[in-house]
Amino acid sequence: MTKRICPDCNGEMEKGFVPDFSDGTAMVACWHPGVPENQTLMGLQVSRGAIKHDRNELKPITTYRCVACGSLRFYAS
Ligand SMILES: [Zn+2]
C-alpha cells in the first residue's frame, strides 16, 4: 500500500472511510456525479432529503486523515 503524505503539513495520513448512518445502518459514503436534485414522484418530494441517484454511478469514498493536522482527503476510485 502506498503511504500517503499530507499536502498541508507533510504528516502521515491514515486510511479510513466516512460512515453513512442515514439508512438505519452504517454504510460507506459514496460519490455520485452531477448536482443533487430532490427525488420526486408525480411532482411531490418522495421523502425529506431524498435525492435522485443512479446506483450504477456510485463509487465508495476512501478517506485519508492526517494524524498531525486532521486534514481529510477523499478518493473515489
Ligand atoms: Zn496534515
Side-chain angles (χ1 to χ4, degrees):
M1 185 177 92
T2 305
K3 187 175 177 180
R4 300 222 181 230
I5 300 299
C6 177
D8 295 329
C9 76
N10 291 324
E12 186 174 333
M13 299 195 85
E14 177 181 26
K15 186 177 184 177
F17 63 95
V18 176
D20 175 357
F21 295 102
S22 60
D23 202 22
T25 186
M27 302 179 349
V28 176
C30 293
W31 178 89
H32 190 285
V35 176
E37 294 179 41
N38 290 336
Q39 190 175 29
T40 58
L41 181 63
M42 298 174 66
L44 301 172
Q45 187 160 2
V46 174
S47 65
R48 193 173 141 206
I51 55 173
K52 294 178 185 175
H53 63 281
D54 179 348
R55 287 189 177 274
N56 294 322
E57 295 285 346
L58 296 175
K59 298 190 183 320
I61 298 170
T62 299
T63 308
Y64 287 83
R65 176 187 170 276
C66 176
V67 297
C69 76
S71 178
L72 298 175
R73 304 237 343 152
F74 296 86
Y75 297 88
S77 302

